[in-house]
Amino acid sequence: MRRIDDWLRSSKDWQFILTGVLVFVMMPLAGSWLADGAAQWFVSAAPEEERAWRWGVLFLAGLLVVVVGVVWLRIYGERFILPDIEPVKDVEPRRVLIAFLSDLNKMSIRRADDGRWCFYGANGGTNEIGSVSALFEFVSHKSPLTSWQQLARAMYHHHKAGVLQKVILLASKKSRDAFEASDGGESSAPHPEIFFDALLNDGALPERRVSIEVAPGNVDFEDLTSSLMALQQAIKNSGAEHRDIVIDVTGGQKTASIAGALVTLDKRDLIFQYVPTGGPDEVKKGPDGVVVPKGYQVISRASSLSG
């Protein structure tokens, strides 16, 4: 039975076809069976008549189809109803953050002998634009220190609350090539697991340490199917409940942002967020002056009507 359910959940085309047959063919037919069966069985036909049981069977068959139809629509029908995308007033800190890892856009990061992370301009420039040694120093720095700074702000919101336990990063080929090339010598980027581990877990107690992992394989941020499959696999591999996961789309392209919204469509407790950029009127900052992520939840109208 579980295999059938898994197949139905993964076969979107069959879900659409079966739902259409159910709504436009079987449900009206079941209504006719119920009406005719009830009229003939309870009113016209006397119990002793030989054909009375046939009307009873027709009535029960119609009732069964209606019950099955209601259950089917409750489980699978939500994805065929136009959803609402509602902003989350305050993004609640969550245990697992799944994020798209963008490349450094020709900027570079190197670690100095004293352990500080130094950031340099585009095209292999040697002019240092800033250096940090701690997470708060990185996220609150006034200068833009690569695209990873926005990603760190996405993590910081959940980390400062003492809730964040795991970060799963989805890398594109371009971003992966930058840090995997470091094994043979100089690279434009350190390995993200090393970089973010140093910032998030510096001085942390063992029970407060955050697990950082880069998911295997390359994700095409401009391909919807690739982004969706990567997100679905990361959610599965996280081992967490949907209410404990947040999808961050700050580092992806527009297509990846769409994937972040779509993957939450049939997962009521899953939300997605991004860290905005812009002037004071366009971003919200917390009491510590760090930009706060904006969160959104995709809610099916069927879900909202059912409570």
Side-chain angles (χ1 to χ4, degrees):
M1 187 68 184
R2 182 171 180 79
R3 289 184 178 179
I4 296 175
D5 182 67
D6 291 341
W7 176 79
L8 288 171
R9 288 182 181 276
S10 61
S11 304
K12 299 294 193 304
D13 292 339
W14 279 109
Q15 290 175 29
F16 186 84
I17 294 171
L18 291 175
T19 301
V21 171
L22 183 66
V23 171
F24 297 108
V25 179
M26 297 306 298
M27 293 293 274
L29 188 59
S32 174
W33 291 350
L34 282 173
D36 292 343
Q40 297 295 331
W41 192 24
F42 295 116
V43 180
S44 302
E48 62 273 10
E49 287 188 19
E50 187 177 316
R51 298 173 58 188
W53 67 272
R54 298 181 182 179
W55 295 113
V57 171
L58 187 64
F59 175 82
L60 294 175
L63 184 62
L64 178 62
V65 171
V66 170
V67 171
V68 171
V70 170
V71 173
W72 175 275
L73 292 175
R74 182 67 184 86
I75 297 174
Y76 301 105
E78 291 182 0
R79 67 195 62 193
F80 303 107
I81 300 176
L82 187 64
D84 292 325
I85 300 180
E86 296 185 356
V88 178
K89 185 177 180 181
D90 295 303
V91 178
E92 181 180 348
R94 301 204 168 190
R95 294 194 303 112
V96 178
L97 183 142
I98 300 172
F100 292 96
L101 180 71
S102 59
D103 65 86
L104 298 181
N105 196 23
K106 298 183 180 180
M107 300 180 74
S108 61
I109 306 173
R110 304 189 191 102
R111 197 166 198 176
D113 293 337
D114 61 359
R116 293 182 66 83
W117 295 102
C118 302
F119 300 84
Y120 299 89
N123 298 316
T126 57
N127 294 328
E128 182 181 308
I129 58 177
S131 64
V132 302
S133 60
L135 179 62
F136 180 74
E137 189 180 4
F138 186 34
V139 299
S140 60
H141 203 285
K142 301 301 181 182
S143 300
L145 302 179
T146 76
S147 59
W148 287 9
Q149 185 180 37
Q150 288 291 84
L151 179 56
R153 287 167 177 160
M155 300 177 190
Y156 175 76
H157 176 76
H158 305 271
H159 182 264
K160 70 177 181 179
V163 175
L164 188 64
Q165 296 179 4
K166 179 182 288 188
V167 174
I168 301 176
L169 300 174
L170 308 178
S172 65
K173 184 180 186 306
K174 187 176 181 181
S175 59
R176 186 179 297 276
D177 286 346
F179 62 78
E180 288 193 341
S182 61
D183 295 339
E186 189 174 351
S187 169
S188 62
H191 197 290
E193 293 178 5
I194 297 174
F195 178 77
F196 287 109
D197 177 78
L199 293 178
L200 292 172
N201 295 319
D202 182 34
L205 296 173
E207 62 271 16
R208 290 289 303 275
R209 292 185 67 84
V210 179
S211 168
I212 315 291
E213 62 181 77
V214 178
N218 297 323
V219 183
D220 185 349
F221 292 168
E222 296 183 358
D223 182 83
L224 184 59
T225 301
S226 176
S227 299
L228 272 173
M229 291 180 64
L231 284 173
Q232 290 169 346
Q233 189 62 45
I235 292 170
K236 180 180 179 181
N237 292 344
S238 72
E241 300 290 335
H242 293 160
R243 63 175 178 271
D244 294 323
I245 303 173
V246 60
I247 306 296
D248 185 82
V249 298
T250 305
Q253 306 293 336
K254 292 180 180 179
T255 304
S257 300
I258 296 172
L262 288 177
V263 80
T264 66
L265 180 58
D266 59 345
K267 303 173 183 63
R268 188 178 304 184
D269 296 325
L270 189 63
I271 64 172
F272 70 98
Q273 67 169 36
Y274 78 98
V275 179
T277 57
D281 297 334
E282 300 174 352
V283 300
K284 177 183 177 182
K285 293 185 177 181
D288 53 9
V290 179
V291 178
V292 176
K294 287 185 176 181
Y296 293 89
Q297 188 172 24
V298 181
I299 302 177
S300 166
R301 292 175 182 174
S303 298
S304 60
L305 288 175
S306 62

